[in-house]
């Protein structure tokens, strides 16, 4: 059975053919994503008091406290299936949601206001020179400790994880730079390479005061957006970026796979520290739970209760969560669309502006330079583009917005449940046709017309009573979807054929 899953209006989700949801609907399960975040060994770094001061100065004082975080691969994989890189938002049954700049500051404790992190790739020779100048030691190419200007995380940990007690200040700085490179390479700037980090980030820590002026949180979000977008393509099997942020965001907003909280402290990721992430729930069940998401399972504004924990310098910048701006991190350029998720700020959600199509192919170097220049200009004006909407409250409006959203989005991914609902809708339509046909006065028809109408009525009646489906159609409220735990009623105690099962079997054949 060929069913068009949507969207009805493809003007927003114009890359549906590339998206993983199209593969799910074709029965091509890719399985769990491989999550490339490597925090398990962070606790093995032994920082001195002098190093901790430098880490604080560089802007990672709160972030370093998070440390190792176990990941729920099934939940992350299910969330990725809802991510759309056309809008940089999750498309859920009740509307769009996303990870916003203020949440990066709250969850990770990183600075979201400051200079953009820009630069260019470096070659092997330049990378080795950077290591010698800023770390004081060189990785060995012969031992495969460096490759394509990327150094192994294991080499950094083995060489710099413990600073000598009698070290000079230059050595302390070198060890701290190595730690920071390891920290960002295993978390916010983690890549699908897994165990490597690019040396291009090392000069960002040459001056610790300057490092503290960068908008690390904005760049972390740019990288996560890019990673989510790539992982949402049906051809991909890995995901990187700051998955701790992704998982904690889900725990705060969605009551799905959510563990018990720890004692409240800052940064707020610590509320979920070491909490039951190795879930026994599989991907298909999380997919079903997201399909069935209702208002009681969503917390639009989850951070209000923690206001007294937020440091003043973080709180002062949270308004940037509503900045419609451009995020950058070296060659990555991603758009921040809080106007699509205003309910996360306690505001009414109007229909957002049209999405501008992005050309992701044939990007030349001069095009990237131009785009980066424009992106940095937009970032410089971030404070001038704070979005708002009239009214307030957390009420989900089922009016114009939801009607529009139903046309442009795909809200159901659990294939069998969706097909069942389609069958029920078809039955409801057939029931309406039957009732309309029954209301026609046969005595006014010619003998031939009467014979045709009687045949039509018999056909509908036979179809609806096939396997007890007339009773189902009547009891279900004409096509309303049954709950999962409700059994299909059959007048012959299960002896008849189940129409939905037959249709599903035909589709799977």
């Amino acid at each position: 059975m060929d069913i068009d899953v949507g969207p009805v209006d493809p003007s927003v989700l114009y890359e549906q053919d590339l998206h993983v949801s199209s593969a799910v609907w074709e029965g091509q399960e890719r399985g769990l994503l491989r999550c490339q975040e490597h925090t398990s060994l962070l606790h093995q770094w032994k920082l001195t008091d002098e190093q901790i001061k430098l880490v604080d100065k560089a802007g990672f004082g709160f972030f370093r406290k998070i440390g190792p975080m176990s990941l729920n691969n099934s939940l992350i994989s299910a969330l990725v299936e809802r991510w759309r890189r056309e809008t940089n938002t999750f498309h859920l049954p009740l509307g769009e949601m996303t990870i916003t700049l203020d949440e990066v500051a709250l969850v990770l404790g990183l600075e979201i206001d400051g200079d953009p992190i820009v630069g260019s790739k470096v070659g092997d020779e330049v990378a080795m020179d950077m290591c010698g100048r800023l770390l004081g030691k060189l990785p060995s190419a012969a031992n495969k400790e460096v490759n394509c200007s990327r150094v192994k995380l294991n080499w950094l940990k083995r060489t710099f994880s413990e600073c000598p007690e009698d070290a000079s200040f230059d050595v302390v700085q070198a060890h701290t730079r190595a730690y920071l490179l390891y920290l960002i390479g295993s978390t916010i700037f983690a890549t699908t390479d897994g165990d490597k980090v690019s040396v291009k980030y090392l000069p960002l820590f040459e001056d610790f005061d300057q490092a503290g002026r960068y908008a690390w949180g904005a760049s972390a979000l740019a990288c996560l957006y890019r990673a989510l977008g790539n992982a949402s393509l049906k051809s991909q099997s890995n995901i990187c970026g700051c998955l701790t942020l992704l998982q904690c965001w889900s725990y705060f907003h969605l009551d799905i796979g959510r563990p018990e909280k720890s004692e409240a402290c800052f940064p707020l990721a610590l509320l979920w520290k070491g909490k039951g992430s190795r879930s026994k729930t599989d991907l298909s069940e999380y997919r079903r739970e997201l399909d069935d998401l209702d208002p009681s399972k969503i917390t639009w504004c989850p951070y209000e209760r923690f206001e007294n924990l937020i440091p003043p310098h973080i709180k002062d910048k949270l308004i940037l969560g509503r900045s419609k701006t451009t995020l950058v991190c070296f060659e990555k350029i991603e758009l921040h669309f809080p106007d699509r998720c205003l309910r996360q700020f306690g505001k009414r959600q109007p229909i957002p502006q049209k999405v501008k199509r992005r050309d992701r192919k044939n990007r030349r170097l001069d095009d990237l330079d131009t785009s980066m220049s424009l992106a940095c200009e937009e970032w410089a004006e971030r404070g001038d583009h704070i979005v708002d909407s009239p009214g307030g409250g957390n009420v989900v409006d089922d009016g114009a917005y939801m009607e529009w959203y139903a046309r442009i989005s795909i809200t159901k991914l659990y294939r069998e449940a969706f097909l069942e609902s389609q069958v029920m809708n078809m039955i409801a339509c057939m029931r309406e046709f039957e009732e309309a046909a029954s209301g026609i006065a046969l005595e006014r028809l010619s003998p031939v017309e009467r014979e045709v109408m009687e045949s039509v009525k018999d056909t509908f009646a036979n179809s609806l009573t096939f396997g007890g489906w007339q009773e189902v159609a009547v009891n279900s409220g004409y096509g309303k979807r049954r709950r999962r735990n409700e059994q299909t009623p059959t007048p012959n105690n299960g002896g008849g054929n189940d129409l939905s099962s037959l249709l599903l079997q035909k589709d799977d054949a």
Side-chain angles (χ1 to χ4, degrees):
M1 181 168 59
D2 185 15
I3 294 181
D4 183 8
V5 301
V8 176
D9 177 358
S11 61
V12 177
L13 304 186
Y14 52 85
E15 293 187 325
Q16 175 59 25
D17 289 345
L18 302 175
H19 195 262
V20 63
S21 61
S22 64
V24 171
W25 276 96
E26 293 168 1
Q28 300 173 3
E29 293 282 351
R30 67 179 180 183
L32 297 182
L33 290 170
R34 184 179 180 186
C35 296
Q36 300 284 4
E37 186 183 66
H38 302 276
T39 61
S40 61
L41 301 179
L42 278 171
H43 67 283
Q44 295 186 8
W45 286 78
K46 310 298 182 183
L47 301 182
T48 65
D49 291 342
E50 198 170 15
Q51 284 183 282
I52 290 174
K53 290 180 181 179
L54 291 174
V55 170
D56 290 348
K57 187 180 292 187
F60 290 86
F62 288 116
F63 184 70
R64 73 171 184 85
K65 297 179 181 180
I66 300 174
M69 183 78 77
S70 296
L71 298 176
N72 184 338
N73 288 28
S74 296
L75 176 60
I76 289 173
S77 298
L79 289 169
V80 170
E81 292 180 346
R82 310 290 167 151
W83 183 263
R84 303 303 303 229
R85 65 179 188 172
E86 300 97 326
T87 58
N88 277 346
T89 59
F90 298 102
H91 281 239
L92 300 170
L94 296 178
E96 294 177 60
M97 299 183 75
T98 197
I99 306 168
T100 52
L101 273 172
D102 58 316
E103 296 185 290
V104 181
L106 292 170
V107 175
L108 301 182
L110 290 174
E111 182 61 66
I112 57 172
D113 192 27
D115 298 336
I117 295 178
V118 296
S120 57
K121 295 181 179 180
V122 297
D124 289 346
E125 186 175 342
V126 174
M128 294 295 281
D129 177 69
M130 288 179 177
C131 288
R133 183 168 57 88
L134 298 175
L135 298 181
K137 296 183 180 180
L138 297 176
S140 170
N143 294 333
K144 299 182 179 179
E145 295 169 344
V146 60
N147 183 41
C148 297
S149 73
R150 290 182 172 90
V151 295
K152 282 204 168 186
L153 294 173
N154 186 53
W155 174 76
L156 289 171
K157 182 178 70 68
R158 188 175 65 251
T159 309
F160 299 99
S161 61
E162 192 165 352
C163 188
E165 293 183 2
D166 57 349
S168 67
F169 187 59
D170 286 343
V171 172
V172 171
Q173 289 187 102
H175 277 69
T176 306
R177 293 188 189 105
Y179 167 74
L180 290 168
L181 187 61
Y182 183 98
L183 180 65
I184 64 174
S186 59
T187 55
I188 61 174
F189 297 157
T191 67
T192 52
D193 284 344
D195 61 345
K196 301 183 185 69
V197 59
S198 176
V199 178
K200 69 183 180 183
Y201 300 117
L202 190 53
L204 299 173
F205 301 115
E206 182 169 4
D207 183 327
F208 290 93
D209 287 311
Q210 175 57 40
R213 290 192 281 270
Y214 289 122
W216 292 103
S219 289
L221 190 56
C223 290
L224 182 56
Y225 277 2
R226 179 63 59 88
L228 283 165
N230 290 340
S232 71
L233 302 180
K234 60 186 177 183
S235 60
Q236 300 300 305
S237 59
N238 298 313
I239 183 171
C240 56
C242 192
L243 302 181
T244 291
L245 173 60
L246 171 61
Q247 182 166 284
C248 290
W249 178 90
S250 177
Y251 289 162
F252 277 113
H253 284 284
L254 308 176
D255 188 9
I256 294 178
R258 176 190 288 168
E260 294 293 326
K261 294 187 183 73
S262 298
E263 184 178 351
C265 54
F266 194 85
L268 298 182
L270 293 172
L271 270 73
W272 313 108
K273 179 74 172 178
K275 290 293 180 179
S277 295
R278 298 298 181 185
S279 171
K280 295 180 180 180
T281 306
D282 62 20
L283 170 59
S284 63
E285 182 58 28
Y286 280 128
R287 185 183 293 157
R288 186 195 290 266
E289 289 190 51
L290 288 170
D291 269 4
D292 295 339
L293 201 63
D294 61 50
S296 68
K297 297 288 187 179
I298 298 179
T299 305
W300 294 101
C301 304
Y303 307 106
E304 295 172 342
R305 71 189 74 174
F306 307 113
E307 187 172 355
N308 62 325
L309 298 177
I310 306 171
H313 75 280
I314 295 285
K315 188 180 298 185
D316 291 343
K317 305 297 175 59
L318 294 182
I319 193 173
L320 290 179
R322 290 194 284 121
S323 174
K324 188 175 181 181
T325 187
T326 303
L327 310 173
V328 298
C329 182
F330 277 78
E331 74 284 355
K332 297 179 180 67
I333 301 173
E334 293 293 336
L335 301 178
H336 186 241
F337 288 124
D339 59 312
R340 307 187 71 88
C341 307
L342 285 174
R343 283 174 291 179
Q344 292 178 220
F345 302 96
K347 299 181 180 297
R348 294 277 184 168
Q349 180 60 61
I351 297 175
Q353 296 178 356
K354 290 184 178 180
V355 172
K356 183 179 179 181
R357 291 190 176 228
R358 298 183 67 183
D359 181 13
R360 299 179 186 271
K361 298 180 179 179
N362 303 319
R363 296 293 300 274
R364 299 178 302 176
L365 186 59
D366 54 346
D367 292 334
L368 180 61
D369 289 342
T370 301
S371 298
M372 184 60 67
S373 177
L374 292 174
C376 289
E377 289 179 12
E378 291 184 10
W379 174 250
E381 299 172 351
R382 58 195 175 277
D384 299 330
H385 300 284
I386 306 299
V387 297
D388 204 347
S389 71
N394 299 335
V395 178
V396 177
D397 186 0
D398 59 356
Y401 170 76
M402 291 306 296
E403 290 180 10
W404 166 84
Y405 182 69
R407 291 184 57 82
I408 63 93
S409 187
I410 298 173
T411 60
K412 302 290 184 183
L413 294 189
Y414 193 76
R415 188 168 180 264
E416 287 78 6
F418 184 88
L419 289 172
E420 179 185 339
S421 70
Q422 294 297 299
V423 170
M424 296 304 296
N425 288 336
M426 179 181 67
I427 292 170
C429 292
M430 292 172 66
R431 178 73 175 176
E432 291 176 2
F433 277 121
E434 183 201 29
E435 292 180 349
S438 299
I440 296 176
L442 298 181
E443 62 273 9
R444 297 183 179 180
L445 303 179
S446 67
V448 174
E449 291 172 334
R450 188 179 302 116
E451 182 179 357
V452 171
M453 186 55 62
E454 291 285 2
S455 176
V456 169
K457 290 168 63 177
D458 289 343
T459 299
F460 278 123
N462 291 335
S463 298
L464 288 169
T465 55
F466 179 72
W469 279 96
Q470 186 164 9
E471 183 178 346
V472 174
V474 172
N475 292 339
S476 65
Y478 298 144
K480 289 184 179 179
R481 181 178 170 186
R482 297 192 311 278
R483 291 188 176 92
R484 291 199 307 270
N485 57 357
E486 292 178 350
Q487 298 297 318
T488 301
T490 55
N492 55 0
N493 296 320
N497 294 315
D498 187 330
L499 180 58
S500 67
S501 297
L502 291 175
L503 288 172
L504 290 174
Q505 290 170 8
K506 180 181 178 183
D507 187 61
D508 290 335

